[in-house]
Amino acid sequence: EGWHTGRYAMATPQGLLDWRDDKDTGQEGLPDTASLEKDARREIHLTATFALESSLLIRSESGTGTSPDMVHLRSKRNGKSAPAPVLSGTSLAGVIRGRAMRIANTILGVKIGDDLVDDMFGRRIESNEDIPSGSRIIVKETELNGGNANLVQNRVKIDRFTGGAYPTALFSQQPVWSTASNQATFKLDLKLRCPQLPEDEESAKRTQATFEAEAGLMLLVLKDLWTGDLPLGGESSVGRGRLKGLSANIKYDGQTWELAGTDSLTLSGTGKPETLEKFVKALTDWSPV
């Protein structure tokens, strides 16, 4: 409902100008939405809210000569005069892929685990013979809410031989800080799309089993993020990037699962807990054809 369409002759200069200026071409119409087929795409949609335990630093250009050496990544947002601290989708996807690879390699072995993760996130191109593939994982950029992004920390590199300060190695950093009174939180939005099921029944079962194994892998990554075992950003060795799970929502095939709590976890929703366990078991039992 409410669609507005226009046709432009893109092979002509005038058509390009009309498209650029969004001029009415006199060939508009409303499509018959009742005739559109039902969306048959299948996916697992995972949203989760996390709190920072201490600080987070994803390095970006500082911008001016008086800025600190390292400033957390920022991006302009509607309604805000100054750029806001954000977690980029590429950074989140990279962290999730790295941990998914370690889990898959531990459970399935290096070769099988690599192939499973490559099929989810897209194949790494390491030689001319490698065939690229798209990712079925979609991770959105998210804004950090709360916290303090204006404090600058001065640090010094330590000489490992003397235990003292390393000469000329003084630097300053401006991460996002999270405290008990001003906690920094963000929302993770992730989708795992299921490939189209083949018409052959046996192949369709195989595709479904692989998708359930991939869903189980994402649940294990969520657990590591939730418990603070998987940090985000840089300098995790000094305690940055540690998270604490606050709430999560999982949607799949008309079912929902809602997780909440920090000290004790509660699970609610229309989906059965056994279904989530089924996904994890599908991962441990998965093997290539």
Side-chain angles (χ1 to χ4, degrees):
E1 297 180 358
W3 287 18
H4 180 85
T5 62
R7 294 183 179 272
Y8 303 95
M10 302 297 286
T12 65
Q14 187 58 47
L16 286 171
L17 293 174
D18 291 342
W19 167 75
R20 184 196 66 180
D21 299 331
D22 195 22
K23 289 185 177 179
D24 188 351
T25 61
Q27 302 180 43
E28 58 190 53
L30 293 175
D32 182 10
T33 56
S35 65
L36 297 177
E37 294 184 3
K38 182 182 178 181
D39 191 346
R41 293 177 297 182
R42 300 171 64 238
E43 63 185 17
I44 284 184
H45 188 191
L46 190 156
T47 56
T49 302
F50 295 94
L52 280 179
E53 289 280 20
S54 56
S55 62
L56 177 66
L57 179 62
I58 299 177
R59 300 181 187 183
S60 66
E61 294 183 358
S62 57
T64 65
T66 58
S67 299
D69 299 308
M70 306 171 194
V71 179
H72 181 79
L73 181 66
R74 300 167 187 256
S75 176
K76 292 184 177 180
R77 287 293 185 270
N78 291 333
K80 295 187 176 181
S81 57
V86 297
L87 262 170
S88 62
T90 52
S91 179
L92 284 169
V95 169
I96 293 172
R97 176 174 184 147
R99 179 51 60 94
M101 186 78 75
R102 294 184 64 181
I103 295 173
N105 289 347
T106 301
I107 297 175
L108 304 173
V110 175
K111 180 64 172 66
I112 299 175
D114 286 352
D115 290 342
L116 180 66
V117 173
D118 283 346
D119 188 52
M120 296 170 59
F121 289 87
R123 189 164 300 279
R124 293 173 184 257
I125 305 302
E126 299 177 352
S127 66
N128 294 332
E129 289 74 25
D130 291 338
I131 300 176
S133 62
S135 172
R136 290 186 287 108
I137 295 283
I138 299 174
V139 185
K140 292 185 178 180
E141 178 178 290
T142 180
E143 181 180 350
L144 286 164
N145 299 307
N148 192 329
N150 298 318
L151 296 179
V152 177
Q153 181 183 28
N154 295 316
R155 299 183 59 199
V156 63
K157 181 179 178 181
I158 301 299
D159 190 328
R160 60 178 177 172
F161 296 107
T162 65
Y166 198 89
T168 69
L170 177 67
F171 55 94
S172 57
Q173 297 176 324
Q174 189 175 350
V176 176
W177 298 91
S178 182
T179 61
S181 59
N182 189 10
Q183 200 170 50
T185 62
F186 73 92
K187 186 175 182 180
L188 171 67
D189 191 320
L190 181 148
K191 292 181 181 179
L192 169 62
R193 289 179 173 174
C194 177
Q196 184 176 357
L197 297 179
E199 296 182 0
D200 177 66
E201 183 177 355
E202 191 63 31
S203 299
K205 289 182 178 179
R206 180 63 191 169
T207 302
Q208 178 64 23
T210 301
F211 179 67
E212 291 180 357
E214 294 169 348
L217 184 56
M218 288 297 97
L219 291 177
L220 294 179
V221 173
L222 172 64
K223 176 184 70 70
D224 287 351
L225 287 169
W226 190 280
T227 57
D229 185 67
L230 177 57
L232 301 179
E235 300 193 331
S236 59
S237 59
V238 296
R240 300 201 196 279
R242 304 289 176 181
L243 306 179
K244 178 173 64 177
L246 301 179
S247 63
N249 183 280
I250 304 170
K251 297 180 181 178
Y252 171 66
D253 202 19
Q255 305 174 76
T256 60
W257 296 265
E258 297 178 1
L259 292 82
T262 52
D263 298 329
S264 60
L265 190 65
T266 60
L267 178 63
S268 60
T270 60
K272 297 180 179 179
E274 293 79 7
T275 304
L276 301 181
E277 184 64 27
K278 173 187 173 185
F279 292 155
V280 178
K281 190 175 187 305
L283 173 65
T284 58
D285 296 342
W286 189 84
S287 61
V289 177

